[in-house]
């Protein structure tokens, strides 16, 4: 059997590998998906391919490995230049998209995991931080349908998983992080992005992700997924 030119080491339950899959699908790139048993049973091959962070996702293109999902998405857009454009063409818009993706990684994700993993007063503090961060993030959307404009782009891929995962965390913890009162534009975007065919058809089963998240919650409380 010959190895596919493009392989993605990921996990069925990882939002970070899913965002890379979305980029590959938008470009129409054929790839082999290698499912890693994260976090307890990483393969030797993954550790060899990504000795620095030892995390998924790792894209392997023509035997060359590349980690970090947002870096991978840019690499995909730069390498397969035909067809769907993921990054905005205009340099200023491109820089803005990168700025907001960084804001989301630095502010929205830690606060969201904080809500999911902390309890009591500490959770309430994280909830307030998360709600403020999402309200701020909403500014990047404004009156557009998607962060990328009329169609999904880089920032939609970077944060699209929120639309699927946040309601699951909200349900498990009986809290509201993104709602019509706090961030109505973002909440409406949740529905819009989940309705995009490519996104809708590539999501893992909700009940499996729900169970998996609940199952890992105690482990993540001791070893944050963001460490
Ligand atoms: N910043 C990284 C985050 C990747 C990440 O956190 N991957 C998790 C799975 S979702 C992982 O491999 N965890 C294994 C570990 O922490 O040992 C990216 O965007 O690629």
């Amino acid at each position: 059997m010959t190895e596919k030119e493009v392989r993605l080491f990921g996990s069925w339950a990882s939002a970070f590998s899913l965002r890379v899959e979305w980029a590959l699908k938008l470009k129409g790139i054929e790839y082999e998906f290698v499912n890693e048993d994260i976090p307890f049973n990483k393969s030797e091959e993954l550790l060899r391919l990504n000795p620095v962070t030892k995390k998924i996702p790792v894209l392997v293109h023509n035997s060359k490995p590349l980690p970090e999902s947002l870096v991978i998405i840019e690499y995909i857009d730069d390498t397969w230049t035909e067809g769907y454009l993921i990054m905005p063409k205009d340099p200023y818009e491109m820089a803005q998209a990168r700025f907001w993706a960084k804001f989301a990684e630095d502010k929205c994700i830690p606060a969201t995991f904080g809500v999911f993993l902390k309890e009591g007063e500490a959770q309430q503090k994280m909830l307030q931080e998360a709600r403020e961060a999402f309200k701020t993030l909403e500014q990047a959307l404004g009156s557009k349908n998607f962060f990328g404009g009329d169609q999904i782009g880089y920032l939609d891929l970077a944060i699209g998983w929120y639309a699927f995962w946040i309601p699951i965390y909200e349900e498990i913890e009986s809290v509201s992080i993104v709602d019509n009162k706090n961030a109505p534009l973002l909440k409406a975007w949740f529905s819009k992005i989940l309705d995009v065919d490519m996104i809708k058809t590539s999501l893992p089963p909700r009940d499996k992700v729900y169970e998996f998240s609940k199952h890992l919650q105690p482990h993540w409380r001791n070893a944050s997924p963001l460490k």
Side-chain angles (χ1 to χ4, degrees), residues 14 16 19 38-39 42 55-57 68-69 105 225 227:
S14 164
F16 298 108
R19 51 164 67 142
I38 294 290
K42 297 173 192 175
K55 291 188 179 196
I56 54 107
E68 275 299 324
S69 57
E105 298 287 285
K227 72 184 181 307

Side-chain angles (χ1 to χ4, degrees), residues 11 13-17 19-20 36 38-40 42 46 50 53-58 67-72 105 109 113 219-220 223-227:
S11 156
S14 164
F16 298 108
S17 65
R19 51 164 67 142
V20 173
E36 286 285 331
I38 294 290
F40 303 115
K42 297 173 192 175
L46 173 65
N50 183 7
T53 69
K54 305 178 175 63
K55 291 188 179 196
I56 54 107
V58 177
E68 275 299 324
S69 57
L70 294 181
V71 174
I72 299 172
E105 298 287 285
I109 297 182
F113 279 122
H219 165 73
W220 282 343
S224 161
L226 302 175
K227 72 184 181 307

Side-chain angles (χ1 to χ4, degrees), residues 135 138 141 178-189:
K135 196 159 180 45
E138 204 181 56
L141 181 62
V178 175
D179 55 41
N180 281 325
K181 221 169 132 212
N182 180 52
L185 301 176
L186 200 60
K187 183 76 183 165
W189 169 85

Side-chain angles (χ1 to χ4, degrees), residues 108-156:
C108 300
I109 297 182
T112 300
F113 279 122
V115 175
F116 185 54
L117 300 178
K118 292 194 188 297
E119 292 163 289
E121 248 180 60
Q123 185 187 51
Q124 286 307 311
K125 187 170 169 281
M126 284 294 145
L127 187 55
Q128 200 182 332
E129 274 185 28
R131 289 170 68 86
E132 273 166 25
F134 284 111
K135 196 159 180 45
T136 304
L137 178 65
E138 204 181 56
Q139 290 173 24
L141 181 62
S143 59
K144 292 178 292 189
N145 261 336
F146 297 106
F147 287 90
D150 288 333
Q151 57 179 28
I152 57 173
Y154 173 71
L155 194 49
D156 298 278

Side-chain angles (χ1 to χ4, degrees), residues 9-223:
F9 285 72
S11 156
W12 69 270
S14 164
F16 298 108
S17 65
L18 186 58
R19 51 164 67 142
V20 173
E21 284 198 87
W22 287 341
L24 292 167
K25 283 176 199 283
L26 281 182
K27 290 282 187 185
I29 300 164
E30 268 198 51
Y31 62 97
E32 178 193 346
F33 186 79
V34 183
N35 189 59
E36 286 285 331
D37 189 358
I38 294 290
F40 303 115
N41 249 327
K42 297 173 192 175
S43 70
E44 288 299 317
E45 198 172 7
L46 173 65
L47 301 177
R48 183 177 60 75
L49 290 168
N50 183 7
V52 179
T53 69
K54 305 178 175 63
K55 291 188 179 196
I56 54 107
V58 177
L59 184 86
V60 185
H61 180 212
N62 290 332
S63 308
K64 289 184 293 191
L66 184 64
E68 275 299 324
S69 57
L70 294 181
V71 174
I72 299 172
I73 293 175
E74 290 209 37
Y75 173 79
I76 290 170
D77 204 36
D78 288 341
T79 304
W80 289 270
T81 49
E82 300 287 302
Y84 204 99
L85 276 184
I86 294 172
M87 294 302 286
K89 257 191 162 158
D90 175 77
Y92 181 72
E93 281 178 30
M94 191 188 287
Q96 283 282 26
R98 288 195 186 113
F99 166 80
W100 283 111
K102 178 155 172 42
F103 174 86
E105 298 287 285
D106 292 349
K107 302 283 180 199
C108 300
I109 297 182
T112 300
F113 279 122
V115 175
F116 185 54
L117 300 178
K118 292 194 188 297
E119 292 163 289
E121 248 180 60
Q123 185 187 51
Q124 286 307 311
K125 187 170 169 281
M126 284 294 145
L127 187 55
Q128 200 182 332
E129 274 185 28
R131 289 170 68 86
E132 273 166 25
F134 284 111
K135 196 159 180 45
T136 304
L137 178 65
E138 204 181 56
Q139 290 173 24
L141 181 62
S143 59
K144 292 178 292 189
N145 261 336
F146 297 106
F147 287 90
D150 288 333
Q151 57 179 28
I152 57 173
Y154 173 71
L155 194 49
D156 298 278
L157 297 189
I159 67 172
W161 64 275
Y162 297 172
F164 183 69
W165 263 267
I166 287 178
I168 292 176
Y169 296 154
E170 288 177 328
E171 194 182 325
I172 293 174
E173 285 303 301
S174 304
V175 293
S176 176
I177 304 172
V178 175
D179 55 41
N180 281 325
K181 221 169 132 212
N182 180 52
L185 301 176
L186 200 60
K187 183 76 183 165
W189 169 85
F190 275 17
S191 307
K192 281 183 210 160
I193 189 146
L194 292 180
D195 206 37
V196 172
D197 242 17
M198 183 280 289
I199 302 281
K200 197 169 23 184
T201 55
S202 57
L203 291 170
R206 192 185 193 279
D207 52 342
K208 269 184 80 183
V209 173
Y210 183 99
E211 283 313 317
F212 186 76
S213 304
K214 265 192 99 148
H215 171 72
L216 276 186
Q217 201 179 26
H219 165 73
W220 282 343
R221 283 198 168 120
N222 293 321

